[in-house]
Amino acid sequence: MTYAAQRNAASDAASESAARSEILRWLMEDSWKERYIDNLLTQLCERLPQVGIPVDRATIHFRVQHPQWLGARILWKKGADTVINRFDHGIDNAPQYLASPTKAIIEGDDEIRAKLVPGADQAYEVYDFFLSEGFTEYVAWPLRHTFGKRHMLSFATKKEGGFDEGAFAFLKSLVAPLSLLSEVRTKNVLARTLLQTYVGPRAAEEILSGSITRGSGDTLRAAIMICDMRDFTTLSNLWPRDDVIELLNSYFDALCVPVEENGGEILKFMGDGMLSVFPLNQPQAAERLLAAVEEANRRMAVLNQTNREAGKPELRYGVGIHIGDVMYGNIGSEARLDFTVIGPAVNIASRLEALTKTEGRSVLASVEFAAALGEQTSDRFEAIGERALRGVDQSVRVFALTGF
């Protein structure tokens, strides 16, 4: 090689090294601008080929704390949109997971590097899929988070011969910063997920935005729905604990899904009771609440048929509906707060629910809610008269939902 060629090669190597260092600088100093880990992975992978790292596929696999999902995978492929796949609880017992590099990394392996050669014995079945897609090498490392949590980062290339040693070493150097950056972002998501799970999306956003001092809160005008199971005390005394929990979960599934699908928000579970609101700033809030009640009734009928066939008790319930202001906020002691709901409108809805027991009707509504439905009232409700409600100064005109 001539002296000039050597100088050019050295210059190119120095330029490439500087460009790779810039990626590390960007990760540590500028990536705070990107809120989501999937976008961060996408931006990183789009930068890598520009500095001589031939990445054609990358993934981050996470275990998450979520009532529905065990984990998630962020998948980036060159020329395609980044995809997030969520995996249900129990996937860790599936054959495809048990014989996978993901399991090996999450459970203790510190590195996987596999040259993908046609006809060779493959350590994992998924390598045959990678070969069929044209990949030539696959590498993976654990992303270590605090408390011993392990997740996984992987890269794959279609370059002939796979990654050279310099590219492999640089990808490995990304593991430590990505461990730090991914932990921050996943814990942000975790905080939001746990809050939404336990206090509902609206209250969660209030708390995350800083409404955490005692007495802070908000007022919301809404259609209010309170539901309570009948004879729960008797049921819980007669049936084993696990059966009672299973019955309760099935009962709430039948009620909650229609509420959420129709734009309602579940604010509170109270033992076997549930408080939901349909904010009036949403179009047709009253109609949506009514649709949720009717769909919940259909689901309860299916559930009770299943319970009868299994020799389990049928479940009955009462619903009280009203329209008014819901005041909710932080109430409690200095050290232990509950984001709860209070107000006269909540009390009226609760008293209407209790009235279903003596009136022998499953769904009772106030005149305010019936009026909000307009012309639908005559078709869907029947007036049952004025009723005195405990704790309410004036009697309330009460309507019963027809057929319930």
Side-chain angles (χ1 to χ4, degrees), residues 52-56 134-137 156-164 167:
I53 310 294
V55 168
D56 294 291
F135 293 101
T136 58
E137 187 171 359
T157 183
K158 294 182 178 180
K159 181 184 177 183
E160 185 177 354
F163 296 114
D164 61 36

Side-chain angles (χ1 to χ4, degrees), residues 141-367:
W141 295 277
L143 294 175
R144 292 180 173 87
H145 290 184
T146 51
F147 301 108
K149 301 292 185 182
R150 290 170 66 100
H151 309 282
M152 190 183 86
L153 170 70
S154 79
F155 296 101
T157 183
K158 294 182 178 180
K159 181 184 177 183
E160 185 177 354
F163 296 114
D164 61 36
E165 292 306 313
F168 175 81
F170 183 75
L171 290 175
K172 188 172 183 178
S173 73
L174 299 175
V175 175
L178 283 174
S179 292
L180 293 171
L181 295 170
S182 62
E183 179 160 22
V184 171
R185 284 158 179 80
T186 54
K187 287 193 171 177
N188 286 343
V189 173
L190 174 61
R192 177 170 270 100
T193 297
L194 290 177
L195 281 172
Q196 289 177 345
T197 300
Y198 285 97
V199 302
R202 183 182 179 90
E205 292 307 316
E206 290 284 336
I207 294 170
L208 289 169
S209 66
S211 297
I212 57 174
T213 57
R214 186 165 59 163
S216 64
D218 197 4
T219 299
L220 175 71
R221 187 158 184 80
I224 305 160
M225 168 186 169
I226 290 184
C227 181
D228 191 68
M229 187 188 293
R230 294 286 169 264
D231 303 320
F232 177 69
T233 301
T234 301
L235 185 152
S236 60
N237 287 333
L238 294 176
W239 286 80
R241 181 204 63 183
D242 290 347
D243 288 340
V244 172
I245 291 174
E246 182 181 352
L247 285 168
L248 264 180
N249 286 337
S250 299
Y251 159 74
F252 281 126
D253 279 342
L255 296 174
C256 296
V257 172
V259 168
E260 292 171 335
E261 287 182 346
N262 283 281
E265 181 176 348
I266 299 164
L267 294 183
K268 200 81 171 171
F269 290 109
M270 303 159 288
D272 58 326
M274 180 182 78
L275 167 62
S276 305
V277 295
F278 291 71
L280 293 185
N281 58 9
Q282 298 179 4
Q284 297 183 309
E287 290 84 351
R288 288 173 177 269
L289 187 154
L290 191 57
V293 169
E294 292 175 335
E295 175 59 23
N297 186 63
R298 285 190 286 271
R299 288 173 178 260
M300 285 296 298
V302 173
L303 173 61
N304 280 328
Q305 176 65 30
T306 302
N307 285 346
R308 284 194 297 272
E309 293 171 356
K312 296 180 179 179
E314 293 188 37
L315 304 178
R316 300 182 302 111
Y317 63 97
V319 176
I321 306 172
H322 183 50
I323 279 182
D325 291 336
V326 175
M327 295 171 284
Y328 70 139
N330 284 297
I331 298 173
S333 69
E334 292 182 357
R336 176 65 173 88
L337 296 174
D338 184 21
F339 214 82
T340 191
V341 290
I342 58 174
V346 178
N347 295 338
I348 290 175
S350 177
R351 301 298 182 247
L352 287 169
E353 180 279 315
L355 190 64
T356 63
K357 302 173 186 177
T358 55
E359 293 291 335
R361 306 298 293 266
S362 295
V363 183
L364 296 179
S366 66
V367 64

Side-chain angles (χ1 to χ4, degrees), residues 113-130:
R113 186 178 187 184
K115 296 287 186 179
L116 305 175
V117 181
D121 290 337
Q122 305 297 344
Y124 299 103
E125 186 176 335
V126 72
Y127 291 170
D128 291 326
F129 169 75
F130 292 153

